[in-house]
Amino acid sequence: MTDEKPTLEVSGLWAGYGEGMVLQGVDLAAARGRVTCLVGRNGAGKTTTLKTVMGLLPAARGRVLVEDADVTALPPYERAHAGIGYVPQGREIFPQLTVRENLQLGLEARGGKGQIDESIFETFPILREFLDRRGGDLSGGQQQQLAIARALMGKPKVLVLDEPTEGIQPNVIDEIGDVLRRISKDIAVLIVEQYLEFVLGIADECYVLEKGRVIMSGAPAELDQERLQQTMSL
Ligand SMILES: Nc1ncnc2c1ncn2[C@@H]1O[C@H](COP(=O)(O)OP(=O)(O)OP(=O)(O)O)[C@@H](O)[C@H]1O
Ligand SMILES: [Mg+2]
């Protein structure tokens, strides 16, 4: 089911790290019931977009809305409370903590209280098996599953992921794609990626970022393939 109203809406977003602006008026929307992807090559501003959405970087201009609530001025933890779950680039799980402890940290977005939902283990059976293992001892693909599960612990309205396929084996990438498609039935999913083939296989809608601007968007089949390939290989 696709909602009429987007769960996450970014409009006219400008942000950067000093004098120069990396993002130059980014518009995008992600709705429940679909997988939305933002693609672009190295340095296009994908991570900067997500950091600004999460409030790790201030927006110089523009707005970030979660179900119509303006979160642009809120600090990151309040955006997590508002319903944005974030899986950062490089996963950032805690290697010294156990899988269980890593998952429990995901409860912070809900005030630190609650149990690990059975649905987490239904989605990621391996995590139940490895609950007492240290995060750092998991494989890359397992760590990515842990990072996604940790973000889901906060029961987000929108899950945003920064390059979830980075450094992960092809067969595990397929599994992660399946999981994200399933998750998107219940909540909005926004994936930032460089791996075009993966994105085109799972996205309902795709935004193409070049030098901090969205240069085209639409369903994968609607995109100008030649221009897309060109943008990604520049
Ligand atoms: N902390 C920072 N300070 C200064 N400039 C930065 C910082 N982080 C990123 N940049 C610059 O901002 C631009 C966009 O970077 P960003 O990390 O958003 O790209 P990206 O699309 O996520 O790339 P990648 O695919 O390599 O992860 C780049 O030119 C980068 O050098
Ligand atoms: Mg990045």
Side-chain angles (χ1 to χ4, degrees):
M1 285 278 287
T2 299
D3 289 352
E4 289 281 302
K5 284 296 289 174
T7 310
L8 175 73
E9 198 172 358
V10 169
S11 59
L13 204 61
W14 287 69
Y17 301 92
E19 291 289 287
M21 287 286 124
V22 174
L23 305 184
Q24 309 198 349
V26 172
D27 294 313
L28 60 86
R32 185 158 63 95
R34 57 203 316 193
V35 171
T36 305
C37 292
L38 178 67
V39 298
R41 64 184 198 96
N42 281 125
K46 303 183 298 296
T47 297
T48 304
T49 302
L50 292 193
K51 282 186 173 166
T52 314
V53 164
M54 277 319 293
L56 297 166
L57 194 65
R61 281 159 67 181
R63 298 199 305 167
V64 179
L65 304 179
V66 178
E67 284 184 346
D68 279 344
D70 191 333
V71 301
T72 320
L74 301 182
Y77 74 93
E78 286 189 29
R79 298 195 199 201
H81 278 283
I84 313 179
Y86 179 44
V87 182
Q89 186 164 13
R91 308 184 266 277
E92 296 182 15
I93 60 142
F94 293 90
Q96 301 299 334
L97 299 184
T98 64
V99 166
R100 187 194 312 276
E101 288 163 341
N102 270 281
L103 288 173
Q104 281 162 346
L105 285 172
L107 291 168
E108 290 297 318
R110 284 196 272 156
K113 294 196 184 66
Q115 299 277 322
I116 304 174
D117 260 17
E118 191 53 32
S119 66
I120 295 278
F121 298 128
E122 281 162 15
T123 310
F124 304 107
I126 197 78
L127 297 183
R128 189 202 312 268
E129 204 176 310
F130 290 168
L131 266 177
D132 297 311
R133 231 180 246 207
R134 288 197 312 179
D137 293 338
L138 303 186
S139 72
Q142 291 162 352
Q143 288 185 9
Q144 186 60 267
Q145 296 183 50
L146 175 56
I148 296 170
R150 183 180 59 187
L152 291 176
M153 291 289 289
K155 297 208 186 299
K157 294 171 180 159
V158 52
L159 181 67
V160 304
L161 306 100
D162 196 345
E163 301 210 28
T165 70
E166 200 176 30
I168 289 174
Q169 290 177 22
N171 63 323
V172 183
I173 290 177
D174 289 344
E175 265 176 52
I176 286 175
D178 290 344
V179 163
L180 294 175
R181 281 224 59 91
R182 250 183 287 140
I183 290 171
S184 75
K185 307 240 182 302
D186 301 315
I187 63 174
V189 173
L190 174 64
I191 305 171
V192 150
E193 260 301 338
Q194 263 197 78
Y195 181 15
L196 195 54
E197 212 184 314
F198 171 73
V199 160
L200 295 178
I202 69 163
D204 295 293
E205 181 152 39
C206 204
Y207 292 85
V208 183
L209 195 66
E210 189 179 290
K211 296 189 183 133
R213 291 193 175 94
V214 173
I215 58 158
M216 60 178 156
S217 64
E222 290 167 1
L223 298 174
D224 177 341
Q225 296 300 319
E226 200 176 326
R227 191 165 172 220
L228 181 59
Q229 296 293 344
Q230 207 178 14
T231 300
M232 297 302 291
S233 63
L234 276 175

